[in-house]
Amino acid sequence: MVQEKKLVDEVSGWLRAYDDGSVDRTWTGPPEVKFMAEAVPPHEEFIEAVATRDVTIDSNSGLRVRIYLPEQVLTAKIKLPIILHFHGGGFCISQADWYMYYHIYTRLARSVPAICVSVYLRLAPENKLPAACDDGYAALLWLKSLAKGESHEPWLNDHADFNRVFLIGDSSGGNIVHQVAARAGNLDLHPLRLAGGIPIHPGFVRAERSKSELEQPESPFLTLDMVDKFLALALPVGSTKDHPITCPMGPAAPAMEGLNLPPFLFCVAEKDLIKDTEMEYYEAMRKANKEVELLISPGMGHSFYLNKIAVDMDPNYAAQTTGLIAGIKEFVNKH
């Protein structure tokens, strides 16, 4: 007799976890937005001035990255900065090749211009934290091995400036920016230089609900259900949201003063559910005398720029997305 597996948890159309440990990530929300969570195959020819390639960077673990190469490399007299990207998804969903990232990171690669390297992070609950942070750190160490000539990836070795490496992450990927930057601060990365960190709407929260969580509107990219359930699935067993990965400004985390961090561009959306705790992090950075700039997107919700439908249809979304990209470009060009 076949045992029926039982549903243990379900998260807002994104994920269903079963009692046998299996996870179903088939999108069950509105079908008209499904395309944003579909994979875009790599293409080594330039399409809209960007080529993409998937590379396995660790044959033992199978860790992969997607590289976005802007066509400007063919005419640029100088090598381009590297933007190392960590995708969002509450540590539980999404992939580096999803259309929602493809549409914005091809644009960022063209606009800066820079070579973007996006990591295929391991997902929870199958791989609980700090697995995704370890993958982000491993990707930075791979870039160091390229800079030292210990391994070779032609798109990067031929066209990248390893003296200007920036970490960027959306939502939970912003948490990984902090973790990887903090770890890298204890390391001699030479000849690579970590030039900056760009957390965008990072998933910084506390066990206790913030005022903005209670008052701000939920959005397609962030509901309280997602905040609570994704983090419960992702954090180590027995942990609360006060864990250092989700609350790096809290008492359980290493003191900010003791961290050797590069300059940060900290991006916040005015209507983000978790804006209050994000601002606590920003204030903790300032109090610790870290170099941190604040970029606020007025009237916008969490990860608004990933919503291709809204960016195409709503002039305000489009303008705020353009503003965000301009802010990132200015920060990268300054460092």
Side-chain angles (χ1 to χ4, degrees), residues 98-310:
W98 273 17
Y99 182 78
M100 68 168 73
Y101 298 113
Y102 176 85
H103 93 83
I104 204 76
Y105 283 93
T106 46
R107 183 173 167 185
L108 189 68
R110 271 195 309 270
S111 302
V112 172
I115 301 171
C116 291
V117 178
S118 185
V119 188
Y120 286 88
L121 303 165
R122 279 175 294 167
L123 300 176
E126 303 95 322
N127 304 283
K128 286 192 176 285
L129 290 169
C133 302
D134 294 343
D135 291 346
Y137 185 60
L140 181 65
L141 295 183
W142 174 69
L143 292 178
K144 179 190 172 186
S145 77
L146 296 179
K148 289 182 79 172
E150 293 167 353
S151 41
H152 191 75
E153 162 45 50
W155 281 11
L156 290 162
N157 287 98
D158 296 350
H159 303 296
D161 179 357
F162 291 99
N163 196 43
R164 293 176 67 215
V165 175
F166 297 82
L167 310 176
I168 195 168
D170 318 85
S171 194
S172 56
N175 301 54
I176 299 172
V177 168
H178 174 86
Q179 294 298 321
V180 172
R183 286 193 206 183
N186 299 321
L187 201 66
D188 177 13
L189 289 171
H190 186 80
L192 179 147
R193 180 177 75 99
L194 189 54
I198 309 168
I200 309 179
H201 314 166
F204 296 152
V205 290
R206 293 183 174 282
E208 191 183 331
R209 282 259 191 263
S210 67
K211 192 165 176 281
S212 60
E213 280 180 288
L214 296 169
E215 293 177 358
Q216 294 280 27
E218 296 186 325
S219 77
F221 286 113
L222 197 65
T223 62
L224 290 177
D225 186 52
M226 289 162 74
V227 172
D228 295 345
K229 289 185 177 176
F230 279 156
L231 297 183
L233 290 168
L235 286 164
V237 175
S239 300
T240 71
K241 284 185 268 186
D242 290 330
H243 188 280
I245 294 175
T246 40
C247 191
M249 64 288 185
M256 289 272 191
E257 288 79 5
L259 301 180
N260 176 21
L261 298 172
F264 267 41
L265 175 66
F266 192 69
C267 305
V268 175
E270 186 193 16
K271 300 284 188 197
D272 198 329
L273 264 187
I274 53 175
K275 184 185 86 170
D276 287 358
T277 37
E278 290 170 344
M279 291 304 295
E280 283 179 21
Y281 173 90
Y282 170 70
E283 293 302 339
M285 286 277 279
R286 288 191 53 184
K287 194 175 165 208
N289 292 316
K290 301 302 173 192
E291 191 179 331
V292 56
E293 288 176 52
L294 184 63
L295 191 163
I296 296 181
S297 301
M300 294 288 110
H302 191 79
S303 297
F304 68 91
Y305 55 93
L306 295 179
N307 187 343
K308 177 75 162 59
I309 299 171

